[in-house]
Structures are given as C-alpha cells and as structure tokens.
Amino acid sequence: SQELEQSPQSLIVQEGKNLTINCTSSKTLYGLYWYKQKYGEGLIFLMMLQKGGEEKSHEKITAKLDEKKQQSSLHITASQPSHAGIYLCGADINAGKSTFGDGTTLTVKP
Amino acid sequence: DVKVTQSSRYLVKRTGEKVFLECVQDMDHENMFWYRQDPGLGLRLIYFSYDVKMKEKGDIPEGYSVSREKKERFSLILESASTNQTSMYLCASSSGLSGVYGYTFGSGTRLTVV
C-alpha cells in the first residue's frame, strides 16, 4: 500500500532478541490496527490504537501510536519462535474501509 | 468470539469456470470485505458491502462480482476464472460505519486456477 509504509519488509532475529516493526502514513490515522498472519492462514487481530500517544501491550508485544497519529511501532521483547509470521498494520484512512501495509515477515531463529 | 468462516481453505479450479467463494460471519456485523493477498502486493480490496444488497467496488473489482443477500453472508464470484486470479482470498467483517473497530478476518481461501 502506498498509503501505509511498513518497514522492514522482512526481519530475521535470534530467539531472545528484541525487535521493532514500523508503520508510517503521510495522513492522520483514525484507527491503527496490528495483525499477525501465519503462513497460509487468515489475519489475527492483535491490537488497535486510536489516540495519539497511545500504547498497548499484550504479553511480549507492545504497540504505540505517535502523538501526530501518523506512525505506529510494534515492539516484541525477547522474541520466540511462536512470534514468527507476517505482521501487518491496517488503518482507517478513507471513510468506511481500511488500508493495509504490505507486511513484515518475521523469522525467529532458535 | 467473533467468527468469520470461509467455506474452503484450498480450492483448485479450471480456467473459465465460475467460482463461488463463501464467507459467513456470526456477529451481526454491518460491513463485510473481500481482499486478495499476493506476495509483494499486500492486501488489495476487491469489493465491500455496508449492508444487505449493497456493494461497493474496491481497488481491483475487475473479473469479480459479489452478492450479499443476507447480512451474515458475503459471496465473491469469479465469473470466468483465469490463472491471474490464483491467489489467497481473505474475507473480513467489521461493525460500525467506518470500520474503526477493526476487522475480523476469516482463515482465507487459497485458490489455484489451472
């Protein structure tokens, strides 16, 4: 998606390491979602952020939305093989439908 | 839990066949969406619907049509399947006019057209 830039495109980390995935837009985001997808499966909703400066955590995954509501980061602490998959950000930019980043493929080496 | 169920996980069809992909959600969501996902292209919106019998074209509607006769069911139709429609198809639903509450996705249908 040109409206949502996600980086990096892929990431290989050693088990136990921390990592960060970024999602950036040139427009104000009215709702920012993070999803995880295992290969060949559907997307699983992780977290939603709506307010500038908002931060949410679930287990070892933390997502933040900046004050301007144009950038979000997803941070995984002490990565595990179970964290491997494709992470996508999605956002409400146009009324009524979401747009998605192209995804970040995460590989965690044991 | 909200569930979005896609009728098939894997499907193989021949070129020229008419293909139906079914999606059912059980949470009374107003909005339903069909995406296709291809490597390097991300998720692309094919069609979406805000209400029964309503449909809107997404970014890549060519070669597809949809049907929403009941609120819980949103069908994607490939009128005459072609090899370039080989892809992963994902159905999603959400509540609210702007989808601001996030989407719930089905498990996907991997369609191969030979």
Side-chain angles (χ1 to χ4, degrees), chain A residues 19-95:
Chain A
L19 63 107
T20 300
I21 299 168
N22 293 300
C23 180
T24 304
S25 172
S26 59
K27 301 178 183 179
T28 300
L29 305 172
Y30 293 99
L32 188 287
Y33 321 105
W34 284 100
Y35 298 89
K36 180 185 175 184
Q37 184 181 30
K38 291 253 184 211
Y39 179 75
E41 298 182 9
L43 278 67
I44 305 297
F45 173 78
L46 293 175
M47 277 174 275
M48 176 178 71
L49 304 165
Q50 285 185 283
K51 300 175 184 174
E54 188 174 7
E55 179 175 322
K56 286 186 177 178
S57 293
H58 176 68
E59 297 180 343
K60 294 186 178 180
I61 301 176
T62 300
K64 299 178 186 179
L65 183 62
D66 73 339
E67 290 290 342
K68 287 186 176 180
K69 293 168 63 174
Q70 289 183 305
Q71 183 169 357
S72 178
S73 60
L74 186 82
H75 185 77
I76 299 177
T77 304
S79 58
Q80 300 167 0
S82 62
H83 287 127
I86 301 170
Y87 290 82
L88 290 98
C89 61
D92 297 322
I93 290 180
N94 300 312

Side-chain angles (χ1 to χ4, degrees), chain A residues 1 9 30-31 33 35 37 39-45 48 50 86 88 92 94-103, chain B residues 9-10 31 33 35 37 40-43 45 48 50 59 88 90 97-108 110:
Chain A
S1 163
Q9 192 173 24
Y30 293 99
Y33 321 105
Y35 298 89
Q37 184 181 30
Y39 179 75
E41 298 182 9
L43 278 67
I44 305 297
F45 173 78
M48 176 178 71
Q50 285 185 283
I86 301 170
L88 290 98
D92 297 322
N94 300 312
K97 55 189 172 101
S98 288
T99 189
F100 292 87
D102 288 342
Chain B
R9 289 295 299 274
Y10 299 94
N31 311 323
F33 307 83
Y35 287 87
Q37 185 181 30
L41 297 175
L43 283 169
L45 181 63
F48 60 106
Y50 289 140
D59 301 318
M88 173 70 138
L90 291 163
L97 281 177
S98 64
V100 74
Y101 302 108
Y103 290 10
T104 300
F105 281 87
S107 299
R110 186 165 292 281

Side-chain angles (χ1 to χ4, degrees), chain B residues 80-111:
Chain B
S80 177
S82 64
T83 54
N84 63 13
Q85 292 178 310
T86 292
S87 185
M88 173 70 138
Y89 289 88
L90 291 163
C91 174
S93 73
S94 72
S95 66
L97 281 177
S98 64
V100 74
Y101 302 108
Y103 290 10
T104 300
F105 281 87
S107 299
T109 296
R110 186 165 292 281
L111 172 67

